[in-house]
Amino acid sequence: MPDHEAPRVFVTYARDSPEHQKLVQRFAEFLRTRMGLDMRFDQWYENKRRDWSLWALEHLTAAEFILVIASPEYRRRADGAALPGEGRRAQFEAAMLRDDLVEDLHRATERILPVILPGQTIEGIPGFLNAHSTTSFRIDAFTEGGVSELMAAITGRGRFPLPERGPWTGTTGATGAAANGSVLLANGLPWLASSTEIRSGRARIDGVQYADSVLVRPSGTAEIVSFVEIDLGAAYRRMTSVVGVLDDAAEPFQIGHFRVRLDGRPRSEYRAALGKPRLVDVDVTGALKLRLEMYRPGTRTSPGGTRPTGTGVRSSNLPELAWGDPALS
């Protein structure tokens, strides 16, 4: 989901009681006003005469996520136990959800999110949503913390993101990129040019040690953009690396910017923070010259302020970044 685009979310529920309707309305309002979701909720559209079946069809189809609000009446209507004229809207919407699950079970399972509001139980989730074997979302309070698990399912950003995998060391003799026949950029090829403060060495990024890295950690002054240039001679097809802020960085809140240039033209750009490295995998087929750049926005060529040069303390705007084990293959 693009960061600038709020996901569209549709709410399907049964009008069990006036109290339940009011609770669902408050929940939808909270998600729209506090969490910024593009909510679609029927009570907000009762300002004119409508064909509600067409309205539901349009929004159920266009929605990126559908919240199924659990309640005894919703389950009864969704599971086909209600009379034909009872709760027609909930019956119609639930029928569409069943069809989505049959058409594409994997996609629909991620798209249809059962929600248990305060006062309700898991027994209110329709049987076709497999409440006991798939994830449901219990909301204890209309707060950011109370909806955190639901928001993780919508945004794809959970509390415990999958960490980047480090270099495989279960080989004999050589390790990492060298074991796969790759050429390490830090020590395997001569540099055509490089910044004053840039060097090769060990770099620890998000708990992983990269033995053959290109890193910058200025002691007093720094170029605005640090770089290294390497002659490829059109002999390689792929460049891989892990970029990030060094684990022992003096300033933990810096954001590192990393750029790959091929024959003088920008090819790829990445941003990384402490504990949040980025994996780089670039096609370099036919390229003659590779340039790796890294910088921290706001870096000055002559740092000053309250931290004078020569005291052994790095200025607050100097970068502490690395390309971890950059390799060509």
Side-chain angles (χ1 to χ4, degrees):
M1 186 66 56
D3 290 338
H4 65 278
E5 198 172 299
R8 180 180 292 191
V9 180
F10 181 84
V11 180
T12 177
Y13 69 107
R15 302 194 175 197
D16 294 43
S17 65
E19 293 76 20
H20 182 65
Q21 291 184 56
K22 186 63 176 177
L23 184 66
V24 178
Q25 179 185 8
R26 285 178 47 218
F27 180 57
E29 289 177 350
F30 172 81
L31 293 179
R32 179 176 175 82
T33 61
R34 289 287 301 277
M35 306 310 297
L37 295 174
D38 185 7
M39 303 297 297
R40 294 296 189 271
F41 181 59
D42 62 357
Q43 295 182 35
W44 300 336
Y45 294 85
E46 295 177 347
N47 58 332
K48 63 175 69 174
R49 185 170 184 263
R50 296 181 186 277
D51 183 329
W52 286 103
S53 62
L54 288 178
W55 181 87
L57 182 64
E58 174 190 349
H59 291 292
L60 278 166
T61 302
E64 289 153 294
F65 295 94
I66 299 168
L67 305 187
V68 176
I69 307 300
S71 71
E73 284 304 308
Y74 192 90
R75 175 165 185 165
R76 195 168 70 87
R77 296 165 187 177
D79 286 351
L83 296 174
E86 185 180 352
R88 293 186 182 95
R89 197 177 301 177
Q91 291 196 52
F92 177 76
E93 293 168 1
M96 290 193 63
L97 300 186
R98 293 196 301 269
D99 191 61
D100 283 351
L101 284 161
V102 172
E103 180 185 7
D104 188 335
L105 180 61
H106 178 76
R107 175 179 177 273
T109 298
E110 294 184 349
R111 179 175 178 249
I112 302 170
L113 309 177
V115 172
I116 305 171
L117 295 182
Q120 300 294 337
T121 70
I122 196 172
E123 300 305 322
I125 297 175
F128 66 84
L129 290 180
N130 303 317
H132 296 284
S133 64
T134 60
T135 308
S136 59
F137 303 90
R138 183 178 298 277
I139 308 299
D140 295 321
F142 296 169
T143 62
E144 291 189 19
V147 301
S148 60
E149 292 185 359
L150 177 64
M151 292 300 296
I154 292 173
T155 62
R157 297 189 290 269
R159 289 184 300 162
F160 308 107
L162 180 69
E164 296 283 355
R165 186 175 65 85
W168 166 240
T169 59
T171 56
T172 56
T175 61
N180 297 322
S182 299
V183 175
L184 294 165
L185 299 190
N187 301 304
L189 288 176
W191 295 358
L192 297 176
S194 66
S195 300
T196 304
E197 292 281 357
I198 209 164
R199 62 182 179 85
S200 62
R202 294 181 177 273
R204 191 169 186 83
I205 304 172
D206 196 26
V208 177
Q209 187 84 296
Y210 298 92
D212 298 283
S213 302
V214 176
L215 61 155
V216 60
R217 194 202 299 266
S219 57
T221 61
E223 292 85 357
I224 294 177
V225 176
S226 298
F227 72 94
V228 57
E229 289 186 351
I230 297 168
D231 183 12
L232 300 184
Y236 302 94
R237 293 182 299 174
R238 183 181 177 202
M239 194 280 290
T240 59
S241 182
V242 172
V243 295
V245 177
L246 297 170
D247 281 4
D248 60 349
E251 297 181 33
F253 301 113
Q254 61 185 290
I255 302 295
H257 290 235
F258 302 82
R259 183 185 298 125
V260 177
R261 291 183 182 271
L262 297 177
D263 297 329
R265 294 186 298 272
R267 177 65 175 82
S268 302
E269 294 192 20
Y270 308 85
R271 288 192 298 175
L274 185 65
K276 296 181 178 180
R278 294 289 304 278
L279 179 65
V280 177
D281 192 336
V282 179
D283 185 351
V284 299
T285 303
L288 299 175
K289 182 188 295 184
L290 169 70
R291 178 180 170 114
L292 304 181
E293 299 178 344
M294 53 183 158
Y295 67 98
R296 176 183 178 184
T299 297
R300 294 174 291 181
T301 55
S302 298
T306 58
R307 297 184 178 188
T309 301
T311 62
V313 180
R314 286 189 292 275
S315 171
S316 62
N317 62 351
L318 292 178
E320 299 165 279
L321 313 170
W323 292 79
D325 286 356
L328 292 164
S329 58

